[in-house]
Amino acid sequence: MSALWTSDEIAKAVDGAVLAEFRVDGVAFDSREVGPNDLFIALKGETTDGHRFLDGAFGNGAAGSIVSEDCAHPHVRVANTMEALNALGTASRARTGAQIIGVTGSVGKTGVKEALFAALDRPAEGQTHRSVKSYNNHTGVPLSLARMPRDARYGVFEMGMNHAGELSALTRIVRPHVAIVTAIAPAHIEFFDNIEGIADAKGEIFEGLEPDGTALIPFDSPHRDRLIGWAKPHAARIWTFGRGEGADIRACEVSPEIAGTIVSVVLPTGELTYTIGLPGDHWVSNSLAVIGAVEAVGGDLAAAGLALAEMAGLPGRGARLAIPVGDGEALLIDESYNANPVSMRAALNTLGEERAERRIAVLGAMGELGEDSDRYHAELARPLTDAGVELAVLVGEPMKVLADALGNGISIVHVPDAAAAQESLDGEIRSGDAVLVKGSNYIGLARLVEALAGGKTVCST
C-alpha cells in the first residue's frame, strides 16, 4: 500500500525544504496522538510550541515532521507550520478524486457526519474517510483533509464556527460536492446580534461548493429561506429535507417502534423505507440529511438504510450505557459533550420517551448564550416537566434560574460543579432508572459519566 505522503510530496505542497527523506502513513499535530510512521506538525500556539514535543513525537514512532526551527529528526522545514498545515490539507483536497461532503449546523453535525461515514463505508469498507472527534475548526479541518487517503472514494468533513467568516474560510479548503446544514439554534449566540446572524454564518458553507454541487437545507427550519438565499449563488441543486409538504427529501411516515424508528421517505428519484437505530425525533431529521447526501453523491441507499439501523450513540453524544445497580441495572444516556437550548430539548424529549421506573436529568449549564442566558435556562422547565423527570440535578451557577422556575413535582438539586453532582447522586440511582447527563463541555460532566459508568455495557437501543 502506498504511503499517505512522501517527504518530497510534502515539501512541494508546503513550499518547504527536506532534510532526510521519509514516508508517512498518518498526520498529527498533538504529539500524544502520534503513532508509528506518522507525520508530526509542530504548531506554535499562544500557550505552547509543538517544537518542544518533537522528541516525544519521534519516540512515539513519528517518521518525519514539519518544523520552522532547527530539528535533529527527519523533517520538512517551512517558515510557518500553521500555514503548512493548511497547504497540506489543500494539496490533499486537490489530489483526491473523492466525492466530498461538508456538514455544519448548530446541532447534529457530528452525528450526521458519523452516520454518513457509516452509510457510505458500509458497501465499500475502507473507501470512506471522515474527520475524527470534533476536528471541525481552523486546525482540525485541514488536519482531517491532510489525513485523507489518496485513493478515498468519499470524504465527510464536519465544519464548525462561533464567529462570522470562519465557515467561509473552511469551506473553501474543503470544497464540498455536497454541503449540509443540519439545524440552526442559539449556540454561540453571544457572538452574534441574533439567531439570524447564526443562520447567515452557517450559510457560508455553500460558498465553497464545487460547480455542480448540492446544498441540503432543513425544510422545517424557520431559517430555510434564508439558507436557500445563501445557497442560490453557489449550488447547482438545492434540496430540502424534512417532514413538511414540499420538502425534496420528505419523511412521509414515521413510526416509533421498540427496536427503533421506521421512516418512509420520498426522494427526488423514488422512495425508501429504513429503520433508525438511535432514539429521538431529532434523528429523523438527521437521517433525512444523510439519505439526501448519499443520494446526491450516487451512493448505495439500501446500504445507507442498513447503516442507520446499526448506528450506536457516540460517547458524549447519545451513547447509551447499562450501569449495574444492585441486582439490576440503570440506563445512562451520555450527552455530556455539549449543549444548547435546542439540543437540550431534544435530549429531554428522548428521555421522556424512555420506558423507565424513574427518570433523572443531570443538566449542566449552557455556555455562550449571551444576555439571554437566563431566559434560555429558565425555558427548560417545561421540557423537564413534560419529560416526566422526577429528579433534576442542575449543575453550575447559570442553572439557578431553572431551579427557581421549576415547580412542585420534581425533586431539585442545584450544585456548583460536576464533582458535587456526583456526590449528590451517590446511592441515589436505582435499578430501572433512566439517567440523562447533558451540559456544555466546560461544565465537565464527562467526568461524571466516567464515574457512573464503571462496569458499563453498551446498550443496543
Side-chain angles (χ1 to χ4, degrees), residues 238-311:
I238 300 174
W239 287 350
T240 56
F241 60 92
R243 297 194 186 188
E245 290 286 344
D248 298 296
I249 298 130
R250 183 172 67 89
C252 57
E253 188 173 347
V254 177
S255 303
E257 305 287 345
I258 294 176
T261 303
I262 299 174
V263 181
S264 294
V265 57
V266 177
L267 297 155
T269 58
E271 297 183 8
L272 179 69
T273 297
Y274 56 89
T275 299
I276 306 169
L278 289 167
D281 194 61
H282 57 291
W283 262 104
V284 175
S285 179
N286 287 351
S287 75
L288 296 174
V290 170
I291 293 298
V294 173
E295 169 90 333
V297 298
D300 187 329
L301 289 172
L306 292 172
L308 286 167
E310 297 165 353
M311 279 289 292

Side-chain angles (χ1 to χ4, degrees), residues 124-171:
E125 188 174 354
Q127 296 184 32
T128 303
H129 173 75
R130 95 290 207 182
S131 47
V132 298
K133 300 182 181 179
S134 287
Y135 280 0
N136 62 19
N137 63 7
H138 68 289
T139 54
V141 169
L143 175 68
S144 297
L145 278 167
R147 289 172 164 177
M148 183 164 57
R150 60 180 77 222
D151 59 351
R153 186 176 175 185
Y154 301 105
V156 187
F157 297 92
E158 179 181 337
M159 288 178 268
M161 64 88 209
N162 53 23
H163 291 84
E166 293 176 344
L167 270 180
S168 181
L170 294 177
T171 191

Side-chain angles (χ1 to χ4, degrees), residues 309-383:
E310 297 165 353
M311 279 289 292
L314 303 170
R317 293 184 172 87
R320 301 162 69 80
L321 307 169
I323 58 174
V325 181
D327 294 331
E329 60 186 26
L331 171 65
L332 175 62
I333 305 171
D334 176 14
E335 289 273 5
S336 60
Y337 182 77
N338 220 334
N340 60 52
V342 171
S343 66
M344 276 286 202
R345 288 171 183 270
L348 286 167
N349 183 63
T350 300
L351 177 64
E353 294 173 350
E354 290 295 335
R355 299 176 180 179
E357 296 293 327
R358 187 176 56 150
R359 299 180 184 92
I360 299 173
V362 183
L363 304 183
M366 301 177 287
E368 299 182 347
L369 293 179
E371 61 185 18
D372 288 327
S373 177
D374 283 354
R375 175 173 66 84
Y376 285 125
H377 283 88
E379 286 176 349
L380 294 178
R382 181 62 182 271

Side-chain angles (χ1 to χ4, degrees), residues 184-202:
I184 304 297
H188 315 299
I189 198 166
E190 72 170 293
F191 305 120
F192 296 89
D193 293 334
N194 48 46
I195 198 164
E196 288 77 18
I198 294 175
D200 289 341
K202 296 298 184 183

